[in-house]
Amino acid sequence: MSSSRSFAARLMALLVVIGLVGCGAQTATEAPANAPASGAGAKTYSDMVLCYPQLGAESDWRTANTASIKETAATLGIKQLVFSDAQQKQENQISAVRACIQQGVDVIALPPVVEDGWDAVLTEAKNAGIPVIIVDRSVSADKSLYSTHIGSNMTLEGERAAAEFNKMMPDGGVILELSGTTGSGAAVGRAKGLRNKLNSNITILDSQTGNFTRAEAVPVMQALLKKYTPGKDFQGLFIHNDDMGIGAIEVLKAAGVKPGDLKIVSVDGTRGGFQAMVDGWFQADVECNPLLGPQVFELALKLMNGQPVDAEVLTDETVYYPENAAELLPTRKY
Ligand code: AHR
């Protein structure tokens, strides 16, 4: 009796020791010393100084992206948002990043205007120990120079546009392309995706940049109409964003083109794009979602706490059509 009691007591003691060792090991694995996920020592949003050197204010998409960043910063109550507008100039963005490095911000979230030319400044951020999140468009720099990229799959957007033309032009045809900012990840990806998937019986007659703005798309479309007759020389238009699409519509209207005369596919899914579908001008609008604020700040907090993040975070997107554009228009946030 007494020997079985003492065996039970020894077994209990052993289980307690195993339990304690087990807990210790688990704690060490889940929260390494350099990654306080929560509790004492963990950094919170109220500690965060985040730098957002926005590339410009060229489109409704960009306005919505800026609003998403500013509103999320306010909602989360971060310590400071260092925001600037580079007016679509890479040199302005590089200066803004350097100023943020100088200030010693916690995280830089960079939406790069173009893909190339970032190596030097990203190396400076890395040497200063400041993690960088590439937001929206991609960069061609070595992946070791930044922590993660969050944004759309621009090549897939171009491929989705190609699929729309393939459906609408089963017997082939000719299209024009109104492209975004030359050298930008968005324009490069969309152009590549279109060419990847466009049926061989559909030809791209010409491609010109409108720099993602409504104002610049107007003279470009006017020049295209001087060279080519709608309907006769081309039957479709791929436009890299809704703002340029709206500029192009103004020109087409003035030239006597009617909604539906051309097959037009645009990108973004802004309210303006939805209105163009309601009015019969766009036959499809490939979504590109600018509301990245919540995910950007979540990634930034993880990085501030030394926690791992995925190397690439792609936005889940779709294609919108005129059939339900009127119904969805009032629900659009941008
Ligand atoms: O990089 C995203 C693109 O930039 C959007 O499609 C366009 O509207 C914006 O200017």
Side-chain angles (χ1 to χ4, degrees):
M1 208 40 201
S2 86
S3 86
S4 74
R5 249 201 318 262
S6 82
F7 173 75
R10 273 193 314 233
L11 185 64
M12 277 305 289
L14 185 65
L15 287 175
V16 167
V17 170
I18 290 170
L20 286 175
V21 171
C23 282
Q26 199 180 358
T27 307
T29 318
E30 283 173 358
N34 66 343
S38 60
K43 290 180 180 155
T44 67
Y45 286 117
S46 61
D47 301 311
M48 184 185 286
V49 178
L50 184 128
C51 171
Y52 202 77
Q54 179 59 286
L55 69 87
E58 75 284 2
S59 62
D60 288 349
W61 189 103
R62 191 64 51 196
T63 304
N65 179 254
T66 292
S68 174
I69 294 292
K70 289 186 174 176
E71 281 163 16
T72 310
T75 305
L76 296 173
I78 76 161
K79 190 170 171 189
Q80 191 190 357
L81 173 67
V82 185
F83 182 90
S84 51
D85 175 346
Q87 301 181 340
Q88 295 228 73
K89 292 194 174 72
Q90 186 180 31
E91 61 269 30
N92 292 348
Q93 271 196 303
I94 291 176
S95 302
V97 172
R98 288 210 167 107
C100 285
I101 296 171
Q102 193 70 29
Q103 184 185 331
V105 301
D106 295 305
V107 179
I108 296 169
L110 169 69
V113 63
V114 289
E115 283 189 309
D116 296 341
W118 294 103
D119 296 65
V121 78
L122 290 178
T123 304
E124 289 165 36
K126 189 176 183 184
N127 291 342
I130 301 174
V132 175
I133 303 171
I134 302 295
V135 184
D136 165 28
R137 304 174 186 177
S138 50
V139 290
S140 60
D142 193 89
K143 287 188 171 22
S144 66
L145 295 178
Y146 55 92
S147 302
T148 181
H149 167 236
I150 173 170
S152 306
N153 182 337
M154 307 293 186
T155 306
L156 181 62
E157 290 174 353
E159 290 177 350
R160 286 181 166 155
E164 296 307 319
F165 287 113
N166 295 342
K167 269 192 275 173
M168 291 189 290
M169 300 175 150
D171 301 322
V174 177
I175 65 171
L176 302 180
E177 182 182 39
L178 203 46
S179 153
T181 303
T182 306
S184 68
V188 171
R190 289 168 193 170
K192 182 175 165 213
L194 180 75
R195 286 154 183 80
N196 280 351
K197 296 282 171 168
L198 202 61
N199 283 344
S200 57
N201 60 1
I202 304 177
T203 313
I204 305 167
L205 177 63
D206 206 335
S207 176
Q208 299 294 332
T209 178
N211 205 20
F212 281 129
T213 74
R214 201 172 298 194
E216 285 166 270
V218 169
V220 175
M221 196 66 230
Q222 284 167 336
L224 286 168
L225 289 194
K226 285 207 174 96
K227 279 166 83 179
Y228 312 112
T229 307
K232 179 171 163 280
D233 296 326
F234 67 100
Q235 300 80 42
L237 259 176
F238 174 43
I239 306 181
H240 283 206
N241 82 343
D242 289 344
D243 289 76
M244 292 193 297
I246 292 160
I249 290 170
E250 273 175 37
V251 177
L252 292 169
K253 262 189 202 164
V257 178
K258 299 273 177 301
D261 285 354
L262 293 170
K263 310 286 183 209
I264 303 181
V265 178
S266 181
V267 184
D268 277 355
T270 59
R271 277 194 283 262
F274 269 72
Q275 190 60 56
M277 286 195 283
V278 171
D279 296 341
W281 285 100
F282 292 175
Q283 275 71 44
D285 204 352
V286 179
E287 183 188 17
C288 181
N289 192 333
L291 307 178
L292 301 173
Q295 285 166 288
V296 166
F297 285 98
E298 196 184 322
L299 287 167
L301 189 64
K302 283 188 175 162
L303 291 169
M304 269 175 77
N305 280 307
Q307 292 183 286
V309 295
D310 289 338
E312 176 110 77
V313 182
L314 290 176
T315 318
D316 195 18
E317 291 167 340
T318 187
V319 181
Y320 297 110
Y321 297 100
E323 286 68 32
N324 53 0
E327 183 193 332
L328 290 178
L329 181 53
T331 70
R332 298 300 294 160
K333 293 200 171 62
Y334 56 94

